[in-house]
Amino acid sequence: MSGPTGKYSITMPPGIAEAAKACSGRSGLSAYVAAAVARQIERDNLNELIQVGEAEHGPITDEEVQALRDQLQQARHQQAQGGASGA
């Protein structure tokens, strides 16, 4: 992450802190925690969008979720094979 930063004090359970330190590698604990918080914010925003969509259109069924997962898997397979057109 680039750009201006601020210094903050946070509290977390020791086991989580030690695991985060171990996983942070060369980027350091601050970068690791910042990335984790950014991912959580993205998830929170996506959950909000899902709630709005479900309020307007009804809940997403398991079948719809599976159909979309199948489409994603097929697209990834095609991408790995050089694209759908074979070019």
PDB file of all heavy atoms in Angstrom, residues 34-58:
ATOM      1  N   ALA A  34      -2.965  -3.727   7.394  1.00  0.00           N
ATOM      2  CA  ALA A  34      -3.653  -2.794   6.502  1.00  0.00           C
ATOM      3  C   ALA A  34      -4.337  -3.546   5.358  1.00  0.00           C
ATOM      4  O   ALA A  34      -5.484  -3.248   5.001  1.00  0.00           O
ATOM      5  CB  ALA A  34      -2.679  -1.755   5.957  1.00  0.00           C
ATOM      6  N   ALA A  35      -3.658  -4.535   4.786  1.00  0.00           N
ATOM      7  CA  ALA A  35      -4.248  -5.328   3.705  1.00  0.00           C
ATOM      8  C   ALA A  35      -5.447  -6.128   4.210  1.00  0.00           C
ATOM      9  O   ALA A  35      -6.468  -6.235   3.519  1.00  0.00           O
ATOM     10  CB  ALA A  35      -3.198  -6.246   3.089  1.00  0.00           C
ATOM     11  N   ALA A  36      -5.329  -6.683   5.406  1.00  0.00           N
ATOM     12  CA  ALA A  36      -6.434  -7.455   5.981  1.00  0.00           C
ATOM     13  C   ALA A  36      -7.646  -6.564   6.240  1.00  0.00           C
ATOM     14  O   ALA A  36      -8.792  -6.958   5.970  1.00  0.00           O
ATOM     15  CB  ALA A  36      -5.984  -8.133   7.276  1.00  0.00           C
ATOM     16  N   VAL A  37      -7.410  -5.376   6.743  1.00  0.00           N
ATOM     17  CA  VAL A  37      -8.515  -4.441   6.998  1.00  0.00           C
ATOM     18  C   VAL A  37      -9.142  -4.005   5.674  1.00  0.00           C
ATOM     19  O   VAL A  37     -10.371  -3.922   5.559  1.00  0.00           O
ATOM     20  CB  VAL A  37      -8.029  -3.235   7.834  1.00  0.00           C
ATOM     21  CG1 VAL A  37      -9.095  -2.156   7.913  1.00  0.00           C
ATOM     22  CG2 VAL A  37      -7.631  -3.688   9.237  1.00  0.00           C
ATOM     23  N   ALA A  38      -8.322  -3.753   4.665  1.00  0.00           N
ATOM     24  CA  ALA A  38      -8.853  -3.366   3.351  1.00  0.00           C
ATOM     25  C   ALA A  38      -9.735  -4.479   2.783  1.00  0.00           C
ATOM     26  O   ALA A  38     -10.815  -4.197   2.234  1.00  0.00           O
ATOM     27  CB  ALA A  38      -7.708  -3.042   2.395  1.00  0.00           C
ATOM     28  N   ARG A  39      -9.304  -5.737   2.905  1.00  0.00           N
ATOM     29  CA  ARG A  39     -10.125  -6.867   2.444  1.00  0.00           C
ATOM     30  C   ARG A  39     -11.434  -6.937   3.213  1.00  0.00           C
ATOM     31  O   ARG A  39     -12.491  -7.206   2.633  1.00  0.00           O
ATOM     32  CB  ARG A  39      -9.359  -8.184   2.580  1.00  0.00           C
ATOM     33  CG  ARG A  39      -8.395  -8.450   1.461  1.00  0.00           C
ATOM     34  CD  ARG A  39      -7.869  -9.872   1.468  1.00  0.00           C
ATOM     35  NE  ARG A  39      -7.319 -10.286   2.748  1.00  0.00           N
ATOM     36  CZ  ARG A  39      -6.058 -10.076   3.126  1.00  0.00           C
ATOM     37  NH1 ARG A  39      -5.217  -9.448   2.335  1.00  0.00           N
ATOM     38  NH2 ARG A  39      -5.641 -10.489   4.303  1.00  0.00           N
ATOM     39  N   GLN A  40     -11.401  -6.697   4.508  1.00  0.00           N
ATOM     40  CA  GLN A  40     -12.625  -6.742   5.304  1.00  0.00           C
ATOM     41  C   GLN A  40     -13.585  -5.637   4.890  1.00  0.00           C
ATOM     42  O   GLN A  40     -14.795  -5.860   4.815  1.00  0.00           O
ATOM     43  CB  GLN A  40     -12.306  -6.637   6.802  1.00  0.00           C
ATOM     44  CG  GLN A  40     -13.531  -6.798   7.678  1.00  0.00           C
ATOM     45  CD  GLN A  40     -14.192  -8.156   7.522  1.00  0.00           C
ATOM     46  OE1 GLN A  40     -13.525  -9.190   7.546  1.00  0.00           O
ATOM     47  NE2 GLN A  40     -15.505  -8.170   7.336  1.00  0.00           N
ATOM     48  N   ILE A  41     -13.060  -4.459   4.608  1.00  0.00           N
ATOM     49  CA  ILE A  41     -13.914  -3.362   4.141  1.00  0.00           C
ATOM     50  C   ILE A  41     -14.562  -3.739   2.814  1.00  0.00           C
ATOM     51  O   ILE A  41     -15.757  -3.498   2.614  1.00  0.00           O
ATOM     52  CB  ILE A  41     -13.106  -2.050   4.037  1.00  0.00           C
ATOM     53  CG1 ILE A  41     -12.732  -1.566   5.435  1.00  0.00           C
ATOM     54  CG2 ILE A  41     -13.879  -0.976   3.275  1.00  0.00           C
ATOM     55  CD1 ILE A  41     -11.713  -0.452   5.461  1.00  0.00           C
ATOM     56  N   GLU A  42     -13.794  -4.349   1.902  1.00  0.00           N
ATOM     57  CA  GLU A  42     -14.364  -4.804   0.627  1.00  0.00           C
ATOM     58  C   GLU A  42     -15.488  -5.808   0.869  1.00  0.00           C
ATOM     59  O   GLU A  42     -16.545  -5.735   0.242  1.00  0.00           O
ATOM     60  CB  GLU A  42     -13.288  -5.435  -0.245  1.00  0.00           C
ATOM     61  CG  GLU A  42     -12.297  -4.445  -0.814  1.00  0.00           C
ATOM     62  CD  GLU A  42     -11.156  -5.119  -1.553  1.00  0.00           C
ATOM     63  OE1 GLU A  42     -11.049  -6.364  -1.544  1.00  0.00           O
ATOM     64  OE2 GLU A  42     -10.336  -4.384  -2.142  1.00  0.00           O
ATOM     65  N   ARG A  43     -15.267  -6.747   1.772  1.00  0.00           N
ATOM     66  CA  ARG A  43     -16.299  -7.743   2.096  1.00  0.00           C
ATOM     67  C   ARG A  43     -17.536  -7.082   2.698  1.00  0.00           C
ATOM     68  O   ARG A  43     -18.662  -7.437   2.350  1.00  0.00           O
ATOM     69  CB  ARG A  43     -15.753  -8.788   3.066  1.00  0.00           C
ATOM     70  CG  ARG A  43     -14.792  -9.737   2.431  1.00  0.00           C
ATOM     71  CD  ARG A  43     -14.304 -10.745   3.426  1.00  0.00           C
ATOM     72  NE  ARG A  43     -13.429 -11.700   2.773  1.00  0.00           N
ATOM     73  CZ  ARG A  43     -12.808 -12.664   3.403  1.00  0.00           C
ATOM     74  NH1 ARG A  43     -12.958 -12.817   4.700  1.00  0.00           N
ATOM     75  NH2 ARG A  43     -12.036 -13.492   2.737  1.00  0.00           N
ATOM     76  N   ASP A  44     -17.333  -6.135   3.592  1.00  0.00           N
ATOM     77  CA  ASP A  44     -18.469  -5.423   4.189  1.00  0.00           C
ATOM     78  C   ASP A  44     -19.267  -4.697   3.113  1.00  0.00           C
ATOM     79  O   ASP A  44     -20.500  -4.726   3.116  1.00  0.00           O
ATOM     80  CB  ASP A  44     -17.989  -4.427   5.249  1.00  0.00           C
ATOM     81  CG  ASP A  44     -17.397  -5.103   6.480  1.00  0.00           C
ATOM     82  OD1 ASP A  44     -17.591  -6.326   6.672  1.00  0.00           O
ATOM     83  OD2 ASP A  44     -16.730  -4.394   7.265  1.00  0.00           O
ATOM     84  N   ASN A  45     -18.556  -4.053   2.180  1.00  0.00           N
ATOM     85  CA  ASN A  45     -19.232  -3.346   1.091  1.00  0.00           C
ATOM     86  C   ASN A  45     -19.994  -4.317   0.193  1.00  0.00           C
ATOM     87  O   ASN A  45     -21.120  -4.033  -0.224  1.00  0.00           O
ATOM     88  CB  ASN A  45     -18.233  -2.530   0.275  1.00  0.00           C
ATOM     89  CG  ASN A  45     -17.681  -1.342   1.039  1.00  0.00           C
ATOM     90  OD1 ASN A  45     -18.282  -0.886   2.012  1.00  0.00           O
ATOM     91  ND2 ASN A  45     -16.544  -0.844   0.609  1.00  0.00           N
ATOM     92  N   LEU A  46     -19.396  -5.457  -0.114  1.00  0.00           N
ATOM     93  CA  LEU A  46     -20.079  -6.464  -0.932  1.00  0.00           C
ATOM     94  C   LEU A  46     -21.301  -7.019  -0.212  1.00  0.00           C
ATOM     95  O   LEU A  46     -22.359  -7.208  -0.827  1.00  0.00           O
ATOM     96  CB  LEU A  46     -19.125  -7.596  -1.299  1.00  0.00           C
ATOM     97  CG  LEU A  46     -18.069  -7.249  -2.342  1.00  0.00           C
ATOM     98  CD1 LEU A  46     -17.055  -8.379  -2.464  1.00  0.00           C
ATOM     99  CD2 LEU A  46     -18.697  -6.942  -3.681  1.00  0.00           C
ATOM    100  N   ASN A  47     -21.183  -7.261   1.079  1.00  0.00           N
ATOM    101  CA  ASN A  47     -22.338  -7.746   1.842  1.00  0.00           C
ATOM    102  C   ASN A  47     -23.472  -6.738   1.831  1.00  0.00           C
ATOM    103  O   ASN A  47     -24.642  -7.105   1.734  1.00  0.00           O
ATOM    104  CB  ASN A  47     -21.934  -8.088   3.276  1.00  0.00           C
ATOM    105  CG  ASN A  47     -21.194  -9.398   3.370  1.00  0.00           C
ATOM    106  OD1 ASN A  47     -21.376 -10.289   2.541  1.00  0.00           O
ATOM    107  ND2 ASN A  47     -20.351  -9.523   4.370  1.00  0.00           N
ATOM    108  N   GLU A  48     -23.124  -5.460   1.903  1.00  0.00           N
ATOM    109  CA  GLU A  48     -24.142  -4.413   1.835  1.00  0.00           C
ATOM    110  C   GLU A  48     -24.842  -4.433   0.472  1.00  0.00           C
ATOM    111  O   GLU A  48     -26.066  -4.336   0.389  1.00  0.00           O
ATOM    112  CB  GLU A  48     -23.527  -3.042   2.098  1.00  0.00           C
ATOM    113  CG  GLU A  48     -24.544  -1.926   2.112  1.00  0.00           C
ATOM    114  CD  GLU A  48     -23.924  -0.557   2.382  1.00  0.00           C
ATOM    115  OE1 GLU A  48     -22.744  -0.481   2.783  1.00  0.00           O
ATOM    116  OE2 GLU A  48     -24.629   0.445   2.185  1.00  0.00           O
ATOM    117  N   LEU A  49     -24.065  -4.587  -0.596  1.00  0.00           N
ATOM    118  CA  LEU A  49     -24.652  -4.671  -1.932  1.00  0.00           C
ATOM    119  C   LEU A  49     -25.569  -5.887  -2.066  1.00  0.00           C
ATOM    120  O   LEU A  49     -26.640  -5.811  -2.677  1.00  0.00           O
ATOM    121  CB  LEU A  49     -23.562  -4.737  -2.996  1.00  0.00           C
ATOM    122  CG  LEU A  49     -22.803  -3.447  -3.259  1.00  0.00           C
ATOM    123  CD1 LEU A  49     -21.637  -3.696  -4.211  1.00  0.00           C
ATOM    124  CD2 LEU A  49     -23.719  -2.380  -3.813  1.00  0.00           C
ATOM    125  N   ILE A  50     -25.158  -7.009  -1.501  1.00  0.00           N
ATOM    126  CA  ILE A  50     -25.989  -8.213  -1.538  1.00  0.00           C
ATOM    127  C   ILE A  50     -27.297  -7.974  -0.799  1.00  0.00           C
ATOM    128  O   ILE A  50     -28.377  -8.340  -1.282  1.00  0.00           O
ATOM    129  CB  ILE A  50     -25.224  -9.418  -0.943  1.00  0.00           C
ATOM    130  CG1 ILE A  50     -24.095  -9.825  -1.891  1.00  0.00           C
ATOM    131  CG2 ILE A  50     -26.166 -10.590  -0.679  1.00  0.00           C
ATOM    132  CD1 ILE A  50     -23.111 -10.806  -1.280  1.00  0.00           C
ATOM    133  N   GLN A  51     -27.223  -7.344   0.369  1.00  0.00           N
ATOM    134  CA  GLN A  51     -28.436  -7.061   1.137  1.00  0.00           C
ATOM    135  C   GLN A  51     -29.383  -6.157   0.360  1.00  0.00           C
ATOM    136  O   GLN A  51     -30.596  -6.388   0.348  1.00  0.00           O
ATOM    137  CB  GLN A  51     -28.080  -6.440   2.485  1.00  0.00           C
ATOM    138  CG  GLN A  51     -27.434  -7.412   3.438  1.00  0.00           C
ATOM    139  CD  GLN A  51     -26.953  -6.741   4.718  1.00  0.00           C
ATOM    140  OE1 GLN A  51     -27.002  -5.524   4.862  1.00  0.00           O
ATOM    141  NE2 GLN A  51     -26.482  -7.547   5.656  1.00  0.00           N
ATOM    142  N   VAL A  52     -28.844  -5.138  -0.305  1.00  0.00           N
ATOM    143  CA  VAL A  52     -29.678  -4.240  -1.093  1.00  0.00           C
ATOM    144  C   VAL A  52     -30.317  -5.006  -2.246  1.00  0.00           C
ATOM    145  O   VAL A  52     -31.524  -4.881  -2.500  1.00  0.00           O
ATOM    146  CB  VAL A  52     -28.844  -3.038  -1.614  1.00  0.00           C
ATOM    147  CG1 VAL A  52     -29.599  -2.257  -2.673  1.00  0.00           C
ATOM    148  CG2 VAL A  52     -28.445  -2.135  -0.460  1.00  0.00           C
ATOM    149  N   GLY A  53     -29.529  -5.811  -2.941  1.00  0.00           N
ATOM    150  CA  GLY A  53     -30.052  -6.593  -4.053  1.00  0.00           C
ATOM    151  C   GLY A  53     -31.114  -7.584  -3.619  1.00  0.00           C
ATOM    152  O   GLY A  53     -32.154  -7.733  -4.274  1.00  0.00           O
ATOM    153  N   GLU A  54     -30.874  -8.260  -2.501  1.00  0.00           N
ATOM    154  CA  GLU A  54     -31.853  -9.230  -2.006  1.00  0.00           C
ATOM    155  C   GLU A  54     -33.119  -8.535  -1.519  1.00  0.00           C
ATOM    156  O   GLU A  54     -34.212  -9.078  -1.668  1.00  0.00           O
ATOM    157  CB  GLU A  54     -31.244 -10.101  -0.917  1.00  0.00           C
ATOM    158  CG  GLU A  54     -30.264 -11.121  -1.471  1.00  0.00           C
ATOM    159  CD  GLU A  54     -29.747 -12.087  -0.427  1.00  0.00           C
ATOM    160  OE1 GLU A  54     -29.790 -11.764   0.791  1.00  0.00           O
ATOM    161  OE2 GLU A  54     -29.299 -13.168  -0.824  1.00  0.00           O
ATOM    162  N   ALA A  55     -33.001  -7.349  -0.961  1.00  0.00           N
ATOM    163  CA  ALA A  55     -34.186  -6.616  -0.524  1.00  0.00           C
ATOM    164  C   ALA A  55     -35.041  -6.232  -1.724  1.00  0.00           C
ATOM    165  O   ALA A  55     -36.271  -6.236  -1.650  1.00  0.00           O
ATOM    166  CB  ALA A  55     -33.780  -5.370   0.267  1.00  0.00           C
ATOM    167  N   GLU A  56     -34.384  -5.933  -2.847  1.00  0.00           N
ATOM    168  CA  GLU A  56     -35.105  -5.514  -4.042  1.00  0.00           C
ATOM    169  C   GLU A  56     -35.602  -6.692  -4.875  1.00  0.00           C
ATOM    170  O   GLU A  56     -36.698  -6.637  -5.431  1.00  0.00           O
ATOM    171  CB  GLU A  56     -34.199  -4.638  -4.905  1.00  0.00           C
ATOM    172  CG  GLU A  56     -34.898  -4.010  -6.097  1.00  0.00           C
ATOM    173  CD  GLU A  56     -34.018  -3.012  -6.824  1.00  0.00           C
ATOM    174  OE1 GLU A  56     -33.146  -2.392  -6.186  1.00  0.00           O
ATOM    175  OE2 GLU A  56     -34.221  -2.860  -8.032  1.00  0.00           O
ATOM    176  N   HIS A  57     -34.814  -7.768  -4.952  1.00  0.00           N
ATOM    177  CA  HIS A  57     -35.121  -8.866  -5.872  1.00  0.00           C
ATOM    178  C   HIS A  57     -35.376 -10.206  -5.185  1.00  0.00           C
ATOM    179  O   HIS A  57     -35.632 -11.193  -5.864  1.00  0.00           O
ATOM    180  CB  HIS A  57     -33.973  -9.052  -6.868  1.00  0.00           C
ATOM    181  CG  HIS A  57     -33.684  -7.821  -7.659  1.00  0.00           C
ATOM    182  ND1 HIS A  57     -34.499  -7.364  -8.670  1.00  0.00           N
ATOM    183  CD2 HIS A  57     -32.664  -6.922  -7.573  1.00  0.00           C
ATOM    184  CE1 HIS A  57     -33.993  -6.257  -9.184  1.00  0.00           C
ATOM    185  NE2 HIS A  57     -32.884  -5.959  -8.530  1.00  0.00           N
ATOM    186  N   GLY A  58     -35.263 -10.262  -3.877  1.00  0.00           N
ATOM    187  CA  GLY A  58     -35.425 -11.522  -3.158  1.00  0.00           C
ATOM    188  C   GLY A  58     -34.081 -12.199  -2.960  1.00  0.00           C
ATOM    189  O   GLY A  58     -33.089 -11.848  -3.591  1.00  0.00           O
TER     190      GLY A  58
END
